[in-house]
Amino acid sequence: MQFDVVTLFPELVDAVVRCGITGRAAERGLISLELWNPRDYAVDVHRTVDGRPYGGGPGMVMTGECLLQAIRAARQKNPGKVVYLSPQGLPLSQSLAHDLLIENSLILLCGRYEGIDERVIKLEVDMECSIGDYVLSGGELGAMVLIDVLTRLLPGALGHHESAAQDSFFDGLLDCPHYTRPDILEGYEVPMVLKSGNHAEIARWRKKQALGKTWRCRPELLQARQLTSSERVLLDEYINEFESSKKLY
Ligand code: 4FV
């Protein structure tokens, strides 16, 4: 998958392909990253890429000319959908990531300051995407999150011991708890079932914990998901144990 990122801070975004799973995917050629700095298209001696907002108000706005040139140069080299990272965008989710996976080339546009000139969005942006309802200093972290989420879904990106199937939200539920050595940590022992070697029981426990964790922490996800009859049984079991454990304290 090809990622072109239009950013005033290429050194920040470049970090995503220098470590971890995304770094390995880049080494393996599963992903490639090209960075385009709008400042390289600025013609004035100060290489200005921002301007005061028309209508007054705080802060600065990224000017259109340099951005349009950088976007069009990226499109010329690697045609692809232009995604602008902004709080006004579609909320990024695992399912939106799956939809974007069909694109084998994406141009990720990162704003800075108060944002970018609206005419750039009108002229060149195919979709806006938000990584969350908060305000960042720039779209770069959003672009890096998107690259990470998509890379994990690429065949071969995760080693055999890693699997996207284990990921939270893979099937609309939060993840189950995970344990590793030591067997006892500050008095807390690893649940016996996980040491039983009974894989059917282990899978049952993990699904039950995932359902329970989702019921406790993100109940709206359960509304959005049809539970199977066996999942209903597991969740009811969890809720009864949870309620009875509460009575103990
Ligand atoms: C953002 C978000 C975000 C807004 C103004 C950059 C900042 C500044 N991007 N999801 N939330 N962007 O806060 O993607 O230009």
Side-chain angles (χ1 to χ4, degrees):
M1 188 160 192
Q2 173 71 30
F3 295 104
D4 290 77
V5 180
V6 175
T7 170
L8 290 174
F9 297 100
E11 67 279 13
L12 171 57
V13 178
D14 189 50
V16 78
V17 291
R18 289 219 297 303
C19 43
I21 285 168
T22 43
R24 190 179 60 201
E27 278 158 20
R28 291 178 177 171
L30 289 174
I31 63 171
S32 38
L33 174 66
E34 187 151 359
L35 302 159
W36 306 80
N37 190 334
R39 205 179 290 281
D40 297 342
Y41 299 86
V43 290
D44 66 305
V45 64
H46 303 296
R47 304 179 76 208
T48 306
V49 294
D50 62 340
R52 306 224 22 82
Y54 276 104
M60 300 294 276
V61 175
M62 285 183 84
T63 53
E65 299 95 330
C66 309
L67 278 175
L68 290 172
Q69 288 179 58
I71 293 167
R72 288 164 181 167
R75 261 198 208 283
Q76 182 71 31
K77 179 115 181 264
N78 304 308
K81 243 201 179 82
V82 174
V83 179
Y84 174 42
L85 284 302
S86 91
Q88 287 74 42
L90 281 176
L92 178 59
S93 64
Q94 204 70 13
S95 61
L96 179 62
H98 277 283
D99 300 346
L100 283 171
L101 210 52
I102 54 175
E103 312 286 340
N104 60 11
S105 179
L106 287 176
I107 299 166
L108 307 181
L109 174 56
C110 305
R112 279 273 157 174
Y113 314 108
E114 300 311 306
I116 69 176
D117 189 295
E118 185 67 18
R119 293 163 289 187
V120 174
I121 298 173
K122 213 178 289 306
L123 288 163
E124 290 292 346
V125 168
D126 298 300
M127 70 171 283
E128 292 189 56
C129 181
S130 171
I131 63 166
D133 295 343
Y134 37 77
V135 179
L136 301 166
S137 317
E140 285 76 11
L141 296 177
M144 297 165 79
V145 166
L146 195 48
I147 291 169
D148 190 293
V149 169
L150 290 170
T151 299
R152 295 175 60 79
L153 297 171
L154 294 172
L158 298 183
H160 66 282
H161 60 283
E162 301 146 331
S163 122
Q166 302 302 329
D167 282 356
S168 298
F169 305 109
F170 176 75
D171 57 358
L173 296 176
L174 297 185
D175 207 356
C176 62
H178 299 288
Y179 296 84
T180 186
R181 302 180 284 19
D183 191 10
I184 298 176
L185 183 63
E186 298 191 359
Y188 290 97
E189 183 170 3
V190 172
M192 292 307 287
V193 63
L194 296 179
K195 300 182 283 185
S196 67
N198 179 331
H199 296 297
E201 274 307 307
I202 291 168
R204 184 181 191 283
W205 180 87
R206 284 177 169 162
K207 172 62 80 150
K208 181 177 165 185
Q209 294 300 319
L211 288 161
K213 182 87 170 175
T214 309
W215 169 73
R216 277 194 297 126
C217 306
R218 298 287 305 279
E220 79 281 2
L221 293 175
L222 285 182
Q223 263 86 44
R225 186 183 183 285
Q226 190 54 37
L227 291 186
T228 65
S229 53
S230 62
E231 286 172 338
R232 189 71 249 172
V233 169
L234 285 176
L235 180 55
D236 293 343
E237 212 176 277
Y238 182 97
I239 293 172
N240 297 339
E241 288 161 10
F242 182 76
E243 299 300 348
S244 48
S245 68
K246 270 205 300 188
K247 290 193 192 74
L248 295 173
Y249 302 98

